[in-house]
Amino acid sequence: MRYTLLGLLLALFCPLARAQEAQTEDAFFIRKLYDQTLTNSSCSDWLQYLTRRIGGRLSGTPQAAAAVEYTYQMLDTLGLDTVWLQPVMVPHWERGEPEQVRIVNSLKMGSIDLNALSLGNSIGTGPRGLTAPVVEVRTLEEADSLGEQLRGKIVFFNTPMDPTELNTFNAYGKAAGARVYGASRASKYGAVGALVRSLTTRLDDIPHTGSTVYTEDALPIPALAISTLDAELLSQLLKEEPVRVYLRNTSRMLGEKLSYNVIGEIRGSVHPEEIILVGGHLDSWDVGTGAHDDGAGCVHAMEVLRQIKLAGYRPKRTIRCVLFMNEENGLRGGRAYWEWSDAGQEYHTAAIESDRGGFTPRGFTVDGHDEVFNAKFKKAIEWLPLLEPYGLSFRKGGSGADISGLKSQKGLLFGFEPDSQRYFDYHHTPIDGPDVVNRRELELGAAAMLSLVYLIDKYGLEVE
Amino acid sequence: MRYTLLGLLLALFCPLARAQEAQTEDAFFIRKLYDQTLTNSSCSDWLQYLTRRIGGRLSGTPQAAAAVEYTYQMLDTLGLDTVWLQPVMVPHWERGEPEQVRIVNSLKMGSIDLNALSLGNSIGTGPRGLTAPVVEVRTLEEADSLGEQLRGKIVFFNTPMDPTELNTFNAYGKAAGARVYGASRASKYGAVGALVRSLTTRLDDIPHTGSTVYTEDALPIPALAISTLDAELLSQLLKEEPVRVYLRNTSRMLGEKLSYNVIGEIRGSVHPEEIILVGGHLDSWDVGTGAHDDGAGCVHAMEVLRQIKLAGYRPKRTIRCVLFMNEENGLRGGRAYWEWSDAGQEYHTAAIESDRGGFTPRGFTVDGHDEVFNAKFKKAIEWLPLLEPYGLSFRKGGSGADISGLKSQKGLLFGFEPDSQRYFDYHHTPIDGPDVVNRRELELGAAAMLSLVYLIDKYGLEVE
């Protein structure tokens, strides 16, 4: 950067000019980071490898182990100060043979096979399957109100995602309770199985898996998702006649396995004790190849470190990339990391998780401990003029599951927020593959996170 | 809407409260328009028909005629006040047999067929084709500087789109000159053919067509686009050895045909003389099925009128949907419309064109006559608080080719601006089909245009 004499004098003696000078310098540097990321990035190649070569990376599988090894190696090529594996015990759930969900001997339609996937963590029906009458409900509360009427039944949670929610994550949040807790709730009243409508705004034949949680107050029963078109069909048929469904899945929990979070960091030159975390989760569901969920988030985080090195930027604070294991069906990686970090009396001044796909960036959700949130958020908001030219904004909201436990350290937590319209077209399905991730959109996500990391690193988030 | 007594008194006697009341009412109504569009829209079905059933709609073809007929019929079902066809003579260009572009007898690679498409309006090589040495240039200016060295050559305009432009339309604007004027510029110096690098930021095997314009100062020569990967290959090979290329295409201009703009309107109840136009263009290229370009824009505009009727909203001003013919290779529909409108002393207080695809809305570009632009733009900006919750903003910039000629009427011109990242993955290619248009994103576009139309209609854009 060249200075005129006047500019130099102004910069030295006038605080306002100094602030403007800094802002201009920041604008140039962020522009440089974007240019560099859009012309020289590895995130797309990494994602291709994770998805096409390795594939679905369910916790405990050989693919998850391969992803640990691969990303460790890739981080190790970046010239970071440290790259390491953090051991974590994870559940190993197995889907088993292809699921069968069949409407049996309908008067109007005969027998019909539905498009179905076991929910993650589901138990199996046993090899012979089970057949029972179906009862449809919209909500967990409706299941409660039917109570003993559910005994011996398969409870069908037909909870559509609300299409009028502009942010599809809000619609997901409103509808996901039935998937997570439906089986246990139904079981409490003696139900023998649970079917849930897939969580997507689309009407199509693609079933969406996702975790179910067995609460301690009920016996586990098999839980499966059916496609939205099949949910519509089943619902329509139930209006016309009693319906019996045959379920068969051989899913089972195999016990725990050793796995790892993959971590790499550049140590801060001035405040190494202030950690800025960027992360995603390395595991995915077994169907599909986890491209948007969350291969994209992993390569975003890795690319941030790569670009920092490429730019020759020496961070004041410690920049750490964490690829968490087991977000999908246990959050063991996140929990292990928080415990370890707390035990070592670490301090995360900021953490940014990318777990909403690789779409065009819109900004970041921001969360934090009540005691510090307002003051720190105010500080971050001052950077908005530098981020808005890139279509980025901040809004209050949850950050990401893997970093949520860091809130007690009282730093600021960010969730990278890309455009949400297409995410639930692919989420937890066989079609979440690299062909539905756009290279530029992916790169822009890395650049957005990188720019925020740069600003946090340069100015810090600590308040007096 | 229910009023409390206090609210009523405030609303009657306090202008500020009245303004707030109006804004709350507007916010509710816009929310209702969004809800309605996201739960009950026809735009996706219309687009399926236009693309899957009718297909590519190049001016002068039977498909273009079928699209006129279909959209006329669809508008006619909406209960509008008038639906009519406006005659317009259009050029009828024919691509002819599949194009051949072949590197001939390379020392290193033998003969290689490249992925190519004739540019729209291009003449043919004749049935035997032509073979000539290739000269690579980056820009029209570089062609000028080589001058007579281009005689007898095929000039290869290898102009990549700049990946660092965040808005891909800016990159397109910077690179498109070579496609539009390259052939004529090269011909001025005696070149026998022109090859252009396809206009996309992707590296792939898909050639992108688009119009070339033969200027009057040079003989027409054949002009074809090659895919970006083939452009890279050709460029690399040219660094290593002289390259000769064989071109063969049988493209030709067949003369003019009668076609139509399709128009439907709801007549204003208070200011019928103030027209608010919403539009897109009905023609597309012959390759692909013109889903994003510009089936999406047509169904956006049609949906705006459909939703107005569905909401039972009676507009004060005339709301007119215009589906323009021949935007791609002549702009005859636009020109005919402007002339007719000017001759009838019409006044378009606003016109909104959607011709940037069916992606998630980001806002509108705004343009207008110098004499009135600032005052009217200021008025529109007051509505931003009502549009920002939907991710919409305004920025100064060109509106759309089909409405550009309305600027002399001194209304405000808007270009609907969706996210631009993926547009040039599909633009003018065989893969611009309905499968790459997301239903929600398409619906959100219609809702965005609808909301703007509502505000213009309710408050007007006229300034004292």
Side-chain angles (χ1 to χ4, degrees):
Chain A
M1 184 170 285
R2 265 185 270 172
Y3 296 88
T4 61
L5 184 61
L6 180 65
L8 194 63
L9 286 170
L10 279 170
L12 285 172
F13 297 110
C14 169
L16 181 65
R18 259 211 308 279
Q20 283 172 347
E21 178 90 17
Q23 197 162 62
T24 307
E25 197 182 307
D26 290 335
F28 271 107
F29 196 72
I30 289 172
R31 183 67 251 187
K32 176 186 159 171
L33 294 175
Y34 265 86
D35 288 354
Q36 193 179 277
T37 308
L38 287 165
T39 52
N40 177 352
S41 75
S42 290
C43 52
S44 181
D45 293 341
W46 288 332
L47 184 65
Q48 296 293 322
Y49 195 100
L50 276 176
T51 53
R52 292 190 197 275
R53 292 288 298 271
I54 294 176
R57 302 173 297 282
L58 187 62
S59 293
T61 63
Q63 289 84 353
V68 167
E69 181 61 26
Y70 174 69
T71 51
Y72 177 88
Q73 286 179 9
M74 290 302 105
L75 285 174
D76 205 35
T77 64
L78 301 183
L80 310 180
D81 294 319
T82 330
V83 182
W84 76 99
L85 299 181
Q86 181 174 57
V88 48
M89 296 306 293
V90 297
H92 183 196
W93 177 78
E94 182 182 76
R95 179 169 303 281
E97 296 164 31
E99 299 84 345
Q100 290 176 55
V101 175
R102 182 179 304 147
I103 293 173
V104 183
N105 297 330
S106 152
L107 294 171
K108 304 212 167 185
M109 303 191 64
S111 291
I112 312 157
D113 284 310
L114 306 184
N115 296 287
L117 283 174
S118 295
L119 293 180
N121 303 334
S122 176
I123 64 164
T125 56
R128 294 192 307 174
L130 64 87
T131 304
V134 175
V135 177
E136 176 179 343
V137 297
R138 288 262 156 179
T139 59
L140 294 171
E141 293 68 33
E142 194 180 342
D144 286 332
S145 73
L146 290 176
E148 284 298 313
Q149 294 174 53
L150 304 182
R151 187 161 301 279
K153 306 293 198 318
I154 291 168
V155 181
F156 166 38
F157 290 89
N158 190 15
T159 317
M161 271 174 64
D162 180 355
T164 69
E165 284 285 357
L166 293 189
N167 187 320
T168 59
F169 283 86
N170 295 344
Y172 180 73
K174 292 196 297 190
R179 189 200 72 205
V180 177
Y181 298 112
S184 282
R185 196 66 67 94
S187 171
K188 237 173 87 177
Y189 304 109
V192 296
L195 286 178
V196 304
R197 179 191 179 103
S198 285
L199 290 174
T200 175
T201 52
R202 289 179 73 127
L203 280 174
D204 62 22
D205 287 321
I206 301 166
H208 293 232
T209 189
S211 68
T212 192
V213 169
Y214 291 124
T215 55
E216 291 185 359
D217 57 351
L219 288 173
I221 58 173
L224 297 92
I226 58 174
S227 74
T228 49
L229 280 174
D230 284 339
E232 293 285 304
L233 172 71
L234 180 56
S235 182
Q236 185 55 41
L237 208 57
L238 280 164
K239 290 186 180 70
E240 300 170 15
E241 58 170 312
V243 178
R244 289 170 64 82
V245 159
Y246 169 72
L247 301 183
R248 182 180 187 279
N249 69 335
T250 61
S251 305
R252 56 183 180 153
M253 194 62 82
L254 297 171
E256 305 212 332
K257 275 214 174 163
L258 176 62
S259 186
Y260 303 92
N261 295 327
V262 181
I263 309 177
E265 75 177 27
I266 304 168
R267 198 163 163 78
S269 59
V270 181
H271 305 292
E273 74 288 358
E274 289 189 21
I275 298 160
I276 302 170
L277 180 155
V278 285
H281 65 83
L282 201 46
D283 65 309
S284 76
W285 286 104
D286 53 332
V287 297
T289 58
H292 278 295
D293 187 12
D294 184 28
C298 292
V299 302
H300 277 155
M302 294 163 71
E303 189 70 52
V304 168
L305 270 67
R306 182 175 173 276
Q307 293 293 335
I308 287 171
K309 296 299 286 187
L310 199 62
Y313 178 78
R314 196 167 168 218
K316 295 181 194 172
R317 294 167 170 81
T318 294
I319 317 290
R320 182 184 288 170
C321 165
V322 184
L323 310 179
F324 295 94
M325 184 49 68
N326 187 230
E327 190 271 349
E328 292 295 2
N329 63 330
L331 206 64
R332 298 288 186 87
R335 291 182 205 283
Y337 182 81
W338 313 332
E339 280 172 27
W340 169 83
S341 178
D342 287 345
Q345 296 191 299
E346 280 195 344
Y347 173 60
H348 287 74
T349 185
I352 311 170
E353 180 157 12
S354 167
D355 188 18
R356 294 181 184 127
F359 305 95
T360 300
R362 305 302 292 253
F364 300 89
T365 52
V366 193
D367 194 13
H369 195 285
D370 284 346
E371 286 175 23
V372 297
F373 179 75
N374 285 339
K376 294 193 172 186
F377 188 36
K378 202 175 149 198
K379 200 150 184 184
I381 282 174
E382 287 172 17
W383 306 328
L384 273 181
L386 290 160
L387 298 173
E388 281 169 344
Y390 300 89
L392 305 174
S393 62
F394 291 137
R395 69 176 180 90
K396 292 182 193 181
S399 55
D402 293 300
I403 61 172
S404 57
L406 294 172
K407 195 184 274 191
S408 57
Q409 293 189 6
K410 302 186 185 173
L412 217 45
L413 306 181
F414 296 86
F416 170 61
E417 190 164 47
D419 190 282
S420 75
Q421 300 309 322
R422 287 172 286 144
Y423 188 70
F424 292 98
D425 294 358
Y426 313 122
H427 184 241
H428 297 179
T429 72
I431 62 168
D432 181 13
D435 55 309
V436 297
V437 178
N438 177 279
R439 184 185 176 119
R440 275 182 66 83
E441 294 185 355
L442 184 69
E443 289 170 346
L444 287 170
M449 290 171 64
L450 175 64
S451 301
L452 179 58
V453 165
Y454 163 71
L455 290 167
I456 299 170
D457 181 65
K458 182 162 173 189
Y459 296 107
L461 276 167
E462 300 317 304
V463 285
E464 284 78 39
Chain B
M1 182 169 285
R2 268 186 269 173
Y3 295 90
T4 61
L5 183 61
L6 180 64
L8 194 62
L9 287 170
L10 278 171
L12 285 173
F13 297 110
C14 168
L16 181 65
R18 256 208 313 277
Q20 283 172 346
E21 178 91 16
Q23 195 163 64
T24 307
E25 197 182 307
D26 291 335
F28 271 108
F29 196 73
I30 289 173
R31 183 67 249 186
K32 176 186 159 173
L33 294 175
Y34 265 85
D35 288 353
Q36 194 178 276
T37 308
L38 286 166
T39 51
N40 177 351
S41 77
S42 291
C43 53
S44 180
D45 293 342
W46 288 331
L47 184 66
Q48 296 292 322
Y49 195 99
L50 276 175
T51 53
R52 292 189 197 276
R53 292 287 298 271
I54 294 177
R57 303 172 297 281
L58 188 61
S59 292
T61 62
Q63 289 83 357
V68 166
E69 181 61 26
Y70 174 68
T71 51
Y72 177 89
Q73 285 180 12
M74 290 302 105
L75 286 175
D76 205 35
T77 63
L78 300 183
L80 310 181
D81 294 317
T82 330
V83 181
W84 76 100
L85 299 181
Q86 180 174 56
V88 49
M89 297 305 294
V90 297
H92 183 196
W93 177 79
E94 183 181 77
R95 178 170 304 282
E97 298 163 30
E99 299 84 345
Q100 290 175 55
V101 175
R102 183 179 303 146
I103 293 172
V104 183
N105 297 329
S106 151
L107 295 170
K108 303 209 167 183
M109 302 191 65
S111 290
I112 313 157
D113 284 310
L114 305 185
N115 296 287
L117 283 174
S118 295
L119 293 181
N121 303 336
S122 175
I123 64 163
T125 55
R128 293 192 307 173
L130 64 87
T131 304
V134 175
V135 177
E136 176 179 343
V137 297
R138 288 262 156 179
T139 60
L140 295 171
E141 293 67 33
E142 194 180 340
D144 286 331
S145 72
L146 290 176
E148 283 299 315
Q149 295 175 52
L150 304 181
R151 186 161 301 279
K153 306 293 198 317
I154 292 169
V155 180
F156 166 38
F157 290 89
N158 190 15
T159 316
M161 273 174 61
D162 179 356
T164 69
E165 283 286 354
L166 292 189
N167 188 319
T168 59
F169 283 86
N170 295 343
Y172 179 73
K174 292 196 296 189
R179 190 201 70 207
V180 178
Y181 298 111
S184 283
R185 195 65 66 94
S187 171
K188 239 174 82 176
Y189 304 109
V192 297
L195 287 178
V196 304
R197 180 192 179 103
S198 285
L199 290 174
T200 175
T201 51
R202 288 178 74 127
L203 280 175
D204 61 24
D205 286 321
I206 301 167
H208 294 233
T209 189
S211 68
T212 193
V213 169
Y214 291 124
T215 55
E216 291 185 359
D217 58 350
L219 288 172
I221 57 173
L224 297 94
I226 58 174
S227 73
T228 49
L229 280 174
D230 284 339
E232 294 284 305
L233 172 71
L234 180 56
S235 182
Q236 185 56 43
L237 209 57
L238 279 163
K239 289 188 180 72
E240 300 170 13
E241 56 170 312
V243 178
R244 291 169 64 82
V245 159
Y246 169 73
L247 301 184
R248 183 181 187 279
N249 70 334
T250 62
S251 305
R252 56 183 180 155
M253 193 62 82
L254 297 170
E256 304 213 331
K257 277 213 173 164
L258 177 62
S259 187
Y260 303 91
N261 294 328
V262 180
I263 308 177
E265 75 178 28
I266 305 169
R267 198 163 163 77
S269 59
V270 182
H271 305 292
E273 74 287 357
E274 289 188 22
I275 299 161
I276 302 170
L277 180 155
V278 285
H281 66 83
L282 201 46
D283 66 308
S284 76
W285 285 104
D286 53 332
V287 297
T289 58
H292 279 295
D293 187 12
D294 183 31
C298 291
V299 302
H300 277 155
M302 294 163 70
E303 189 71 49
V304 168
L305 269 68
R306 181 174 174 276
Q307 293 294 335
I308 287 171
K309 297 298 287 186
L310 198 63
Y313 178 77
R314 195 167 170 219
K316 297 182 194 172
R317 295 167 170 83
T318 294
I319 317 290
R320 183 185 288 171
C321 164
V322 184
L323 310 180
F324 294 95
M325 185 49 68
N326 187 229
E327 190 270 350
E328 292 293 2
N329 62 331
L331 207 64
R332 298 287 188 87
R335 291 181 205 283
Y337 181 81
W338 313 333
E339 280 171 25
W340 168 83
S341 177
D342 287 344
Q345 296 190 298
E346 281 194 345
Y347 173 60
H348 287 74
T349 186
I352 310 170
E353 180 157 11
S354 167
D355 187 17
R356 293 180 184 127
F359 306 95
T360 300
R362 303 302 292 255
F364 300 90
T365 52
V366 193
D367 194 13
H369 195 283
D370 284 346
E371 286 174 22
V372 297
F373 179 75
N374 285 339
K376 294 193 172 185
F377 188 38
K378 202 174 149 198
K379 199 149 183 185
I381 282 175
E382 286 172 16
W383 306 328
L384 273 181
L386 290 160
L387 299 173
E388 280 170 343
Y390 300 90
L392 304 174
S393 62
F394 292 138
R395 69 175 180 91
K396 292 183 192 177
S399 56
D402 293 300
I403 61 172
S404 56
L406 294 172
K407 196 185 273 191
S408 57
Q409 292 188 6
K410 302 184 186 172
L412 217 45
L413 306 180
F414 296 87
F416 170 62
E417 190 164 47
D419 191 282
S420 75
Q421 300 310 321
R422 286 171 287 145
Y423 188 69
F424 293 97
D425 294 359
Y426 312 123
H427 183 242
H428 297 180
T429 71
I431 62 168
D432 181 12
D435 55 309
V436 296
V437 178
N438 178 280
R439 184 184 177 119
R440 275 181 67 83
E441 293 184 355
L442 184 70
E443 290 170 346
L444 287 169
M449 289 172 64
L450 174 63
S451 302
L452 179 58
V453 165
Y454 163 71
L455 290 168
I456 298 171
D457 180 65
K458 181 160 173 192
Y459 296 106
L461 277 168
E462 300 317 302
V463 285
E464 285 79 40

